[in-house]
Amino acid sequence: MSSDSDFTTEPKEYQHDDDGGPQPEKHCGHGRGGMGEEVARKEDKRFITGRGNYVDDIKKPGMLHCEIVRSPHAHARVENIDGSRAMDLDGVVAVLTADDLLEHDLATMPTLMDDTQDVLVNEKVKFQSQEVAAVIAEDRYTAKDGAEKVKVDYEVLDPVVDAAEALEDDAPLIREELDDQEDNHIFDWDTGDKEATEEAFAEADVTVTEQMEYQRLHPAPIETCGAVADWDPGNDKMTVHMTSQAPHAHRTLFSQVSGIPEHKVRIVSPDVGGGFGNKVPIYPGYVVAAAASYVLERPVKWIEERSENIQTTGFARDYDMTGEIAATEDGVIQGVKVDVLANHGAYNAAAQPSKFPAGFFNIFTGSYDIEAAYGSLTGVFTNTAPGGVAYRCSFRVTEAVYLIERMVKVLADELGVDPAEIRRRNFIPSDAFPYESATGWNYDSGDYEKALDKALEMADYESYREEQKRRIEEDADKLLGIGISSFTEIVGAGPGKQCDIAGIEMFDSADLRVNPTGNAVLRVGVQTQGQGHETTFAQIVAEELGMDVDNIVVEHGDTDTEPYGLGTYGSRSTPVAGAAAAVAARKVRDKAKSIAANELEAAEEDIQWDRQSGEFHVAGAPDRSITITEIAAGAYMNHPGSEEPGLEATNYYDPPEMTYPFGSYIVVVEVDRETGEVDFEKFVAVDDCGNRINPMIIEGQIHGGLAQGIGTAMLEHVTYDDNGNVTGGDFMNYLLPTANEIPNFETGHTVTPSPHHPIGAKGVGESPTVGSPPAIVNAVVDAMSHAGVTHVEMPMTPDRVWESLNEAGLALDPSQNVSFDFEGGQSEGPADD
Amino acid sequence: MTDQREITLTVNGTERTIEVEPRRLLVHAIREDLDMTGTHIGCDTGNCGACTVLRDGEPIKSCMMFATQADGSEIMTVEGMEDLPAAGEDLHPLQEGFHKEHGLQCGYCTPGMLMSGKALLDENPDPDEAEIRDAISGNLCRCTGYQNIVSSIEYAAEKLDEQAAADGGVVAEDGDSDGFDCGVENCCGGPSAETPTPHVEGADPQFDDVTEGSESE
């Protein structure tokens, strides 16, 4: 297989030909760490030895610390702020309020959805813990002391936290400062063909409806947000080290907000301890730290506490959805409808391409060939933190997938058809791609039935169905539920014709420089928060240039050195910057051919590159060959007159279309009829993300996303009381799954390459978070569907599950089985001691 | 502002004396006064475990303890792992395990995970999966889904066991020490002990319950 051809459409397993050389242990990218090889991560060493460099690890001479004074009220007018007692403390350098920021025109900042958010509250607090003032002090502890001494007088107003209540006539008006804003309604949005959909429903044999809430979540990376801002008055330059998933976009926004010209702003995103969409928006803390550094001419550090992170930075989801499906009596879906009430919080600060107020929610026809679809959505202000970020998700695709995958299960139960079978009857057939959905998306490729079949086989589906039946017949204490989700994702935002962030098209970039000694540096416009770019992007170059992966360094996250890119979120790094890396490497390869021709004294058109050996040779004379290392030397020491010296290339890649990874997940749960507790018996995930760069890293991503899906389905919820107090705003109350709640996962894959991506890859990081919650809910519902249960809201806490069991007449009376011993409390069976 | 107290910590084998406010958290003393930033902060409420260090061999959350409370104790952080005898010239088997088994992604929880893993293996050299999951259940990871972290610790257990076997003498053949190596020099078969001697209770408090624990297996 010696050719120049690039693999785009043919699935590849990347088997290594036996060339007698050393065989890689597990997989092969020609033995050089190229595509498909399980290369251990190049970035690991600094993390396992305590040498990572996260924002809070940065210490600069003369650095000050910033602590933010936050409102205890959810809705209140600020009458007076008195910072004098704070200023009296030794070590407090400044107390900043909105008035101070107004002097520098920094009192407000734009959100990604063109709303305007107070950096520090100007007149009115709109959600609990909103930023009211900032104390800058010599050290962290003094800054906190100072914050406690700032006296703020509030006129407390009635808050409204529920989206439906916020739309009622007598609801308090949250945003009276906006022109023409007379209520809490933000926008209406709709998609699809309403008339055709109504018609499909009118003619259908059967229709089903279900209301479901995708609760408010928080991405909650283990590292919170933070920044170290450093204004250099000697060079009029602002450097901000910050927890940023999108350093270049943040540079442009920083420049726009501050008025500092963009070439005098440097954003550095050092090691970032998880992002998951939380670190895409700009938050007031970053701006305050920069403003303080500018005013005080000293570096200023701001680091969030966990409660600040959950209570004020971008939440996710919070969609109250009503889904409807129209189908034939055989279960062929003819139409789908959805209506959503979206709680956006106090500002419209969702993080998504600006032409998409509801993100990519209109992908809600999912993996199914549905002719008629219509969706409508209303966005609402409430006295809650602003957000609507894409938490490990491509802009509301998570909500869309949840809706359709839940509704398919509701339909299956209504018709008494097996949930696997009903999916099969409705899948977009594998020969129908490229496929245009009823809501206008152009799916690149897919083979949904293949992934489902593989998952069913791995899960031993039929025998679990039998076991389920047996338990029902025997009236067992623990019921079995089997849940399926056959999701389709939409990632890789995105084509400039459709997608932008604050007006900037969502291309991405790569700059590849090969050094005279034959190693290379790849700089990319995306930024890693754990995804392993330093390894996978090097693998792409290794594959495309025949270099050893160890000879390639990937740099990212510094706007002074990296080419402009839109950052890492929405599973866009591989689909967009990965493509740019491949194209840049191919450009280098093209130039390398002319250097090879010069070195080998042959005509350039006679030079061929062999993917297997990674060498360039003269056509028909494989012995006359040259390696990329030798070519690199030639590029600098003996360059042909026809070419410039040097060996480098840059590519800005504007993807022609989105990519559409997919998969099938099967979850088997045991539901305890006494306690409502849910145990995972089996968790199978079959993913198809096109051609695979590093299977080990893909699997790691799948595991992590599935754990987040379990957190979503079982534990996590940012809750508020009626007064707007956040009652689920720290790790004592916002429950992340621990190792004890997460089962072992069985992963599998199919390979259906993207036809329009240079290496046929699609992106994978979000599939598990998107695809797994409906599989888990479907499983729990499935355990009770024989008794008429159609839905359980997330998070499916034991009390919620028990309520469903009880309403369906399935709950067991705990008093039958539990004995009380008053010394040791409640126990089952004989006492321990 | 407030009075300063002088405290002495032995951090990764080196004695360090610092002056701290009585209210200063141990994690801030480690990160900011001793400049060892491998130990992280993730939640401020003791839930996430990113700040886990070993204090006299016991895993503790260093954001839940004042530095003054740790006065006089031995502290181990991730930065000390490469200097452990088991690390040889390179990485400690736990570090190697996290690398080989892809037990980390963003790396933020990793130092705390390594410390909890170390505490577990010190006490129980051959843990089963449930014991590993339990031992790291005070450490939150948002990236990995834990499965590979479990594998990483299993890898280390195996590697340490191989090392012990290769060291000879460490896997004691007499009944007294029950095959247990507490890791303390010149105690019950630590790596540097030329002649394995029975484990001495109190030689290092972290190992007090170990012999008992290993017998119950």
Side-chain angles (χ1 to χ4, degrees):
Chain A
M1 51 171 279
S2 130
S3 82
D4 268 286
S5 69
D6 294 319
F7 36 90
T8 52
T9 51
E10 288 303 310
K12 288 194 141 202
E13 291 293 327
Y14 301 105
Q15 291 305 318
H16 190 57
D17 287 354
D18 184 6
D19 60 6
Q23 298 295 309
E25 205 170 46
K26 289 180 178 168
H27 286 262
C28 183
H30 321 292
R32 297 183 295 273
M35 289 281 292
E37 191 166 341
E38 295 198 330
V39 177
R41 295 200 328 166
K42 294 154 80 75
E43 47 267 79
D44 282 353
K45 189 172 178 188
R46 64 179 186 269
F47 298 128
I48 55 181
T49 57
R51 294 183 177 94
N53 184 36
Y54 301 89
V55 169
D56 198 16
D57 300 341
I58 293 166
K59 209 175 188 178
K60 294 194 173 195
M63 188 172 78
L64 299 166
H65 292 259
C66 169
E67 178 72 16
I68 291 177
V69 178
R70 296 178 182 277
S71 168
H73 309 291
H75 200 191
R77 223 168 283 285
V78 174
E79 293 180 327
N80 187 49
I81 302 174
D82 177 7
S84 61
R85 286 168 64 227
M87 286 301 292
D88 287 345
L89 290 178
D90 278 349
V92 170
V93 175
V95 176
L96 298 179
T97 65
D99 287 345
D100 303 303
L101 297 180
L102 276 166
E103 279 177 34
H104 298 278
D105 213 11
L106 285 171
T108 59
M109 56 179 208
T111 70
L112 294 177
M113 294 313 279
D114 214 21
D115 196 355
T116 302
Q117 180 172 350
D118 286 353
V119 173
L120 294 173
V121 169
N122 191 9
E123 288 179 359
K124 200 177 83 168
V125 169
K126 301 178 188 71
F127 61 94
Q128 191 182 46
S129 296
Q130 191 173 1
E131 300 80 0
V132 175
V135 175
I136 316 295
E138 295 288 348
D139 71 88
R140 202 186 282 269
Y141 286 67
T142 309
K144 279 193 187 294
D145 288 341
E148 285 185 5
K149 299 239 184 256
V150 173
K151 189 169 178 296
V152 186
D153 297 328
Y154 297 96
E155 180 203 344
V156 179
L157 306 170
D158 284 337
V160 59
V161 297
D162 178 79
E165 285 172 21
L167 287 179
E168 287 170 9
D169 289 343
D170 58 350
L173 179 61
I174 298 167
R175 300 294 302 279
E176 66 263 38
E177 84 279 13
L178 298 176
D179 293 341
D180 306 326
Q181 186 76 39
E182 285 164 5
D183 53 25
N184 297 317
H185 173 271
I186 314 175
F187 67 94
D188 289 317
W189 166 91
D190 72 347
T191 184
D193 187 334
K194 188 174 184 180
E195 209 175 306
T197 309
E198 295 297 353
E199 212 169 291
F201 272 78
E203 288 170 8
D205 296 338
V206 58
T207 63
V208 287
T209 304
E210 192 66 62
Q211 191 186 347
M212 59 193 79
E213 192 192 331
Y214 213 126
Q215 80 273 26
R216 181 173 288 219
L217 300 175
H218 198 282
I222 305 297
E223 178 201 34
T224 59
C225 298
V228 177
D230 189 2
W231 171 249
D232 171 2
N235 291 300
D236 295 327
K237 183 162 181 173
M238 177 67 80
T239 298
V240 187
H241 285 74
M242 60 185 274
T243 48
S244 170
Q245 292 181 235
H248 283 96
H250 285 166
R251 184 183 72 187
T252 303
L253 288 169
F254 247 102
S255 171
Q256 287 170 348
V257 171
S258 67
I260 302 168
E262 193 169 358
H263 66 301
K264 295 284 190 179
V265 178
R266 176 186 176 205
I267 303 293
V268 183
S269 186
D271 288 327
V272 172
F276 314 115
N278 184 222
K279 293 165 181 172
V280 172
I282 288 206
Y283 298 118
Y286 300 132
V287 180
V288 170
S293 178
Y294 183 83
V295 172
L296 301 168
E297 299 192 348
R298 287 172 67 180
V300 175
K301 179 186 272 190
W302 164 72
I303 301 291
E304 271 177 350
E305 289 197 349
R306 174 57 55 188
S307 55
E308 298 178 290
N309 177 251
I310 296 183
Q311 292 177 19
T312 70
T313 65
F315 71 85
R317 327 294 190 235
D318 216 339
Y319 266 25
D320 191 356
M321 308 185 281
T322 304
E324 292 176 74
I325 278 185
T328 65
E329 60 187 11
D330 296 332
V332 175
I333 301 172
Q334 293 167 311
V336 58
K337 265 196 297 195
V338 51
D339 184 47
V340 182
L341 191 58
N343 186 340
H344 280 241
Y347 297 94
N348 190 12
Q352 51 215 7
S354 61
K355 294 189 193 89
F356 296 85
F360 301 158
F361 185 72
N362 55 346
I363 191 81
F364 63 77
T365 54
S367 307
Y368 309 105
D369 186 14
I370 303 174
E371 253 175 59
Y374 178 71
S376 54
L377 179 144
T378 299
V380 183
F381 288 127
T382 62
N383 288 117
T384 61
V389 301
Y391 164 34
R392 202 164 184 158
C393 142
S394 226
F395 320 116
R396 307 294 190 180
V397 63
T398 316
E399 291 89 326
V401 163
Y402 184 68
L403 180 101
I404 188 68
E405 288 303 312
R406 281 293 300 116
M407 288 311 298
V408 167
K409 165 70 174 157
V410 172
L411 177 67
D413 287 347
E414 172 73 20
L415 294 173
V417 178
D418 184 279
E421 175 54 27
I422 205 156
R423 285 177 166 80
R424 241 188 267 283
R425 289 180 196 172
N426 288 287
F427 277 147
I428 300 164
S430 60
D431 59 4
F433 294 90
Y435 171 89
E436 194 182 333
S437 78
T439 53
W441 289 111
N442 202 359
Y443 291 35
D444 57 351
S445 61
D447 192 343
Y448 303 148
E449 196 159 357
K450 190 171 164 190
L452 176 62
D453 286 343
K454 183 155 189 175
L456 291 170
E457 191 192 323
M458 283 173 66
D460 202 3
Y461 183 72
E462 289 307 328
S463 58
Y464 275 110
R465 281 278 172 231
E466 282 164 28
E467 168 70 8
Q468 178 184 43
K469 208 186 289 172
R470 188 187 66 74
R471 292 201 194 187
I472 293 169
E473 283 164 8
E474 293 175 4
D475 200 27
D477 290 357
K478 290 186 177 179
L479 294 165
L480 208 63
I482 307 153
I484 304 176
S485 163
S486 292
F487 64 93
T488 292
E489 257 261 67
I490 172 170
V491 307
K497 62 190 176 191
Q498 292 168 315
C499 299
D500 71 277
I501 293 285
I504 301 163
E505 292 176 13
M506 293 181 74
F507 58 83
D508 226 289
S509 59
D511 171 88
L512 177 63
R513 301 180 184 189
V514 184
N515 298 324
T517 49
N519 44 35
V521 179
L522 178 76
R523 297 189 172 89
V524 288
V526 292
Q527 184 280 341
T528 181
Q529 316 111 42
Q531 292 88 343
H533 294 170
E534 291 169 38
T535 307
T536 48
F537 282 45
Q539 288 185 255
I540 293 172
V541 174
E543 175 72 33
E544 294 296 335
L545 277 186
M547 292 176 78
D548 192 288
V549 72
D550 290 338
N551 291 335
I552 301 150
V553 159
V554 177
E555 291 184 358
H556 54 90
D558 185 338
T559 59
D560 265 10
T561 49
E562 267 70 84
Y564 202 104
L566 272 287
T568 292
Y569 44 85
S571 280
R572 67 185 299 281
S573 293
T574 293
V576 194
V583 174
R586 288 172 192 176
K587 283 185 177 178
V588 167
R589 200 166 77 203
D590 282 345
K591 183 170 180 186
K593 277 188 191 167
S594 98
I595 298 160
N598 191 44
E599 297 286 323
L600 297 171
E601 295 175 347
E604 190 179 332
E605 54 272 24
D606 289 339
I607 300 295
Q608 290 185 339
W609 179 68
D610 184 281
R611 185 176 294 278
Q612 197 65 39
S613 69
E615 293 183 353
F616 296 76
H617 63 87
V618 179
D623 292 350
R624 290 176 64 197
S625 67
I626 185 169
T627 65
I628 188 75
T629 307
E630 293 162 319
I631 289 171
Y636 291 90
M637 300 168 194
N638 182 32
H639 81 278
S642 59
E643 293 277 357
E644 292 174 24
L647 191 55
E648 59 185 67
T650 300
N651 179 251
Y652 278 72
Y653 186 83
D654 180 16
E657 292 290 345
M658 307 288 292
T659 57
Y660 296 77
F662 59 92
S664 274
Y665 295 165
I666 297 182
V667 177
V668 182
V669 297
E670 245 182 8
V671 175
D672 188 320
R673 293 168 62 194
E674 267 182 33
T675 63
E677 279 176 299
V678 174
D679 271 338
F680 292 96
E681 282 287 296
K682 200 167 196 70
F683 210 123
V684 169
V686 173
D687 272 278
D688 191 321
C689 58
N691 282 335
R692 292 149 60 86
I693 302 168
N694 184 325
M696 176 194 81
I697 285 178
I698 291 171
E699 195 167 292
Q701 294 260 306
I702 301 293
H703 288 176
L706 294 176
Q708 289 178 322
I710 290 174
T712 297
M714 309 305 295
L715 295 166
E716 298 178 33
H717 194 180
V718 181
T719 48
Y720 288 85
D721 70 12
D722 290 343
N723 293 320
N725 297 309
V726 192
T727 51
D730 53 44
F731 277 172
M732 291 186 289
N733 297 291
Y734 187 84
L735 304 178
L736 264 50
T738 76
N740 278 335
E741 281 86 44
I742 301 298
N744 280 316
F745 304 111
E746 294 167 49
T747 55
H749 67 276
T750 57
V751 176
T752 312
S754 172
H756 61 71
H757 188 275
I759 56 171
K762 290 189 172 189
V764 73
E766 299 168 353
S767 292
T769 328
V770 170
S772 63
I776 300 165
V777 178
N778 285 347
V780 172
V781 169
D782 190 67
M784 304 181 276
S785 56
H786 63 287
V789 174
T790 58
H791 185 62
V792 180
E793 290 284 23
M794 301 188 292
M796 298 184 294
T797 50
D799 58 315
R800 279 185 171 170
V801 176
W802 193 86
E803 292 263 323
S804 293
L805 286 163
N806 197 36
E807 279 167 27
L810 293 170
L812 291 180
D813 181 353
S815 63
Q816 302 286 312
N817 287 346
V818 177
S819 62
F820 287 89
D821 92 59
F822 292 97
E823 299 275 295
Q826 199 174 321
S827 69
E828 212 172 323
D832 288 339
D833 290 309
Chain B
M1 139 163 326
T2 38
D3 63 326
Q4 303 270 318
R5 306 273 172 85
E6 189 180 279
I7 61 166
T8 300
L9 306 171
T10 305
V11 184
N12 301 325
T14 305
E15 202 173 280
R16 305 283 298 266
T17 299
I18 51 174
E19 290 206 342
V20 294
E21 280 187 65
R23 63 173 175 171
R24 193 160 183 79
L25 297 175
L26 177 58
V27 69
H28 288 137
I30 293 170
R31 286 177 49 81
E32 293 172 9
D33 301 335
L34 300 173
D35 286 324
M36 305 180 90
T37 54
T39 302
H40 299 145
I41 301 170
C43 74
D44 317 293
T45 50
N47 296 83
C48 82
C51 65
T52 305
V53 299
L54 301 188
R55 180 198 175 210
D56 296 332
E58 291 289 336
I60 58 142
K61 290 174 175 171
S62 59
C63 78
M64 293 280 103
M65 178 178 271
F66 295 118
T68 52
Q69 290 175 293
D71 188 13
S73 46
E74 302 236 2
I75 302 292
M76 176 167 177
T77 70
V78 63
E79 287 91 346
M81 298 230 26
E82 288 161 284
D83 295 331
L84 292 171
E89 303 271 287
D90 200 8
L91 297 172
H92 185 275
L94 265 166
Q95 295 171 307
E96 201 180 296
F98 274 72
H99 178 55
K100 296 224 161 158
E101 298 296 320
H102 190 28
L104 68 151
Q105 289 179 30
C106 81
Y108 201 77
C109 76
T110 311
M113 285 287 180
L114 286 166
M115 289 298 110
S116 290
K118 165 105 176 49
L120 169 70
L121 295 183
D122 284 346
E123 191 174 302
N124 177 2
D126 185 24
D128 61 25
E129 187 193 327
E131 288 169 328
I132 295 174
R133 285 185 178 271
D134 207 46
I136 60 168
S137 65
N139 296 73
L140 295 174
C141 171
R142 195 62 157 162
C143 296
T144 64
Y146 302 107
Q147 192 162 333
N148 287 352
I149 294 180
V150 172
S151 309
S152 304
I153 295 173
E154 282 169 348
Y155 174 99
E158 222 164 280
K159 190 84 189 272
L160 285 164
D161 187 51
E162 282 167 23
Q163 278 186 4
D167 268 356
V170 173
V171 176
E173 277 156 30
D174 60 74
D176 281 356
S177 57
D178 200 22
F180 166 70
D181 164 19
C182 79
V184 172
E185 247 183 68
N186 300 318
C187 186
C188 58
S192 307
E194 283 176 13
T195 316
T197 52
H199 175 67
V200 180
E201 293 303 321
D204 186 332
Q206 69 168 305
F207 304 114
D208 277 355
D209 303 324
V210 173
T211 315
E212 193 180 68
S214 61
E215 275 166 1
S216 69
E217 252 315 282

